[in-house]
């Protein structure tokens, strides 16, 4: 772990982490670059040109992180809005296969799509096996918010390909601590305020060219135009010929803060981040005698229906969370073995 930690020194230097912050899966800590950029932004007059540069730089950083061309990335502010774009383009009566206990932002747009669209939840472990010729779309989080379980993306994508179903991956709980290749999926969504430590209000949608051709730009506004500044008035402006046609108007100041954070992550080897954070999580599981997951995860959960363990962590000054009847902690680059020890000791382990 030491060699990995040394290779992460530039990224780790971006954080002044309070001891015991184990909640990157809820909200990431701001980087030094983000704090400086936001402070500078509010000390001067608005600069729209600078806002646009920050948006495009942030888009490019995300594209680099997930291994796609920049023109395959649309920007937004919420994943649920981006998912609803896909829900609106499904054929009438489509079946959407999802994991049980999936995060609601990935499910509710399909539940309320109308037109006979049917959502079928199944256990995550059975997701690939449950894909049938009736399935139009498989929508799943690469890392489950409630449990930290990492989906078998290879099996899911292979099963979908066999029957011609599309895949939508929510990578909000993955990008920032593990390598992610967006091109594996027809569509990928990600909000950057968790593991990418950006301000809330910065989200991304990547689309394959083939899938994008069948989507209707239902949220099109001036920023979706081929030339946004020539698309501010009227209804005859041509839309962008790439994924930018699915852009929504950006939350400018949020992108100003996001740009240095995403740049720091894009300049870091995600394989090294993955090795470091999953080693911390494994150490914590060992202290609590929890079984190892099938696929290594930076999120650790265990049953805590009454919230007793979460209360113990909070009393010890540790920031954690409770989800779906379990206690939940997350290990990120700003954590270390002292955080493992502190949390385990708070639980009497």
């Amino acid at each position: 772990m030491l060699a990995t930690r040394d290779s992460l020194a530039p990224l780790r230097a971006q954080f002044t982490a309070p001891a015991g912050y184990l909640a990157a899966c809820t909200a990431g800590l701001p980087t030094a670059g983000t704090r400086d950029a936001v402070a500078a932004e509010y000390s001067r007059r608005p600069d729209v040109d600078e806002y646009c540069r920050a948006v495009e730089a942030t888009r490019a950083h995300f594209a680099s992180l997930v291994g796609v061309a920049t023109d395959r990335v649309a920007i937004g502010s919420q994943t649920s809005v981006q998912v609803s774009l896909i829900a609106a383009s499904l054929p009438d009566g489509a079946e959407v296969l999802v994991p049980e206990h999936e995060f609601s932002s990935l499910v509710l747009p399909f539940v309320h799509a109308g037109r006979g669209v049917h959502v079928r939840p199944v256990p995550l472990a059975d997701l690939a096996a449950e894909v049938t010729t009736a399935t139009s779309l498989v929508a799943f989080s690469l890392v489950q918010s409630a449990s930290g379980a990492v989906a078998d993306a290879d099996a899911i994508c292979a099963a979908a390909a066999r029957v011609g179903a599309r895949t939508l991956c929510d990578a909000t709980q993955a990008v920032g601590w593990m390598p992610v290749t967006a091109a594996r999926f027809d569509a990928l969504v990600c909000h950057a305020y968790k593991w990418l430590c950006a301000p809330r209000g910065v989200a991304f949608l990547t689309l394959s060219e083939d899938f994008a051709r069948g989507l209707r730009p239902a949220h099109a506004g001036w920023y979706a135009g081929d030339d946004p500044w020539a698309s501010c008035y009227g209804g005859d402006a041509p839309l962008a010929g790439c994924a930018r046609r699915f852009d929504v108007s950006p939350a400018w100041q949020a992108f100003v803060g996001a740009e240095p954070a995403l740049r720091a992550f894009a300049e870091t080897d995600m394989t090294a981040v993955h090795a470091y954070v999953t080693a911390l999580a494994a150490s914590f599981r060992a202290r609590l005698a929890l079984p190892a997951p099938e696929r290594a995860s930076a999120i650790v959960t265990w049953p805590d229906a009454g919230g007793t363990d979460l209360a113990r962590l909070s009393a010890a000054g540790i920031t954690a969370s409770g989800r779906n009847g379990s206690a939940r902690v997350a290990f990120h680059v700003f954590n270390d073995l002292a955080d493992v020890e502190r949390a385990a000791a708070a639980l009497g382990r």
Side-chain angles (χ1 to χ4, degrees):
M1 184 188 295
L2 180 59
T4 300
R5 176 171 174 168
D6 288 346
S7 71
L8 300 179
L11 180 58
R12 285 174 54 83
Q14 284 285 320
F15 297 97
T16 304
Y21 187 82
L22 300 177
C25 53
T26 301
L29 294 174
T31 64
T34 293
R35 290 195 301 270
D36 291 346
V38 172
E41 165 60 29
Y42 287 107
S43 68
R44 61 187 177 223
R45 68 184 63 187
D47 184 340
V48 173
D49 288 339
E50 180 56 31
Y51 296 157
C52 291
R53 285 192 292 270
V55 170
E56 295 314 313
T58 306
R59 189 198 308 267
H61 297 326
F62 185 77
S64 176
L65 273 164
V66 299
V68 297
T70 305
D71 66 359
R72 302 318 318 153
V73 180
I75 58 99
S77 58
Q78 296 170 321
T79 57
S80 59
V81 173
Q82 294 170 322
V83 172
S84 70
L85 176 78
I86 294 170
S89 298
L90 286 176
D92 292 355
E95 177 186 276
V96 181
L97 189 66
V98 302
E100 293 176 343
H101 310 296
E102 180 59 83
F103 196 74
S104 60
S105 292
L106 189 61
V107 179
L108 290 179
F110 299 111
V111 170
H112 297 286
R115 300 178 291 104
V117 172
H118 168 62
V119 175
R120 182 162 66 94
V122 301
L124 176 66
D126 298 337
L127 197 60
E130 290 285 346
V131 177
T132 73
T133 55
T135 305
S136 295
L137 178 75
V138 186
F140 67 101
S141 290
L142 186 55
V143 179
Q144 291 290 299
S145 173
S147 66
V150 178
D152 187 349
D154 288 340
I156 294 166
C157 289
R162 282 194 292 270
V163 299
R166 300 291 192 174
T167 53
L168 166 60
C169 175
D170 186 336
T172 299
Q173 292 286 7
V175 182
W177 72 265
M178 66 182 291
V180 175
T181 303
R184 303 169 72 188
F185 315 105
D186 293 295
L188 176 144
V189 293
C190 178
H191 203 304
Y193 76 100
K194 295 179 183 285
W195 297 88
L196 288 170
C197 301
R200 188 170 170 86
V202 176
F204 303 95
L205 166 66
T206 73
L207 294 163
S208 70
E209 291 187 48
D210 178 58
F211 191 41
R213 280 193 289 270
L215 297 183
R216 195 165 47 84
H219 304 139
W222 70 279
Y223 213 80
D226 186 51
D227 178 356
W229 293 107
S231 306
C232 295
Y233 306 103
D236 58 353
L239 298 185
C242 60
R244 281 204 310 104
R245 72 193 290 112
F246 304 108
D247 280 4
V248 298
S249 181
W252 279 331
Q253 289 82 1
F255 275 86
V256 168
E259 191 279 324
L262 267 76
R263 176 173 10 108
F265 280 93
E267 292 174 348
T268 303
D269 178 6
M270 280 298 114
T271 301
V273 175
H274 179 268
Y276 179 72
V277 300
T278 55
L280 291 176
S283 295
F284 183 71
R285 286 191 195 90
R287 289 292 297 268
L288 268 64
L290 296 173
E294 184 176 356
R295 283 168 287 279
S297 178
I299 300 173
V300 181
T301 64
W302 64 97
D304 186 35
T308 302
D309 282 351
L310 183 59
R312 288 173 178 161
L313 292 170
S314 297
I318 295 165
T319 303
S321 53
R323 294 291 187 274
N324 204 31
S326 295
R328 183 180 70 163
V329 296
F331 295 92
H332 206 354
V333 292
F334 45 71
N335 297 119
D336 56 25
L337 285 171
D339 289 314
V340 173
E341 173 62 31
R342 188 177 293 107
L347 297 170
R349 307 295 176 87

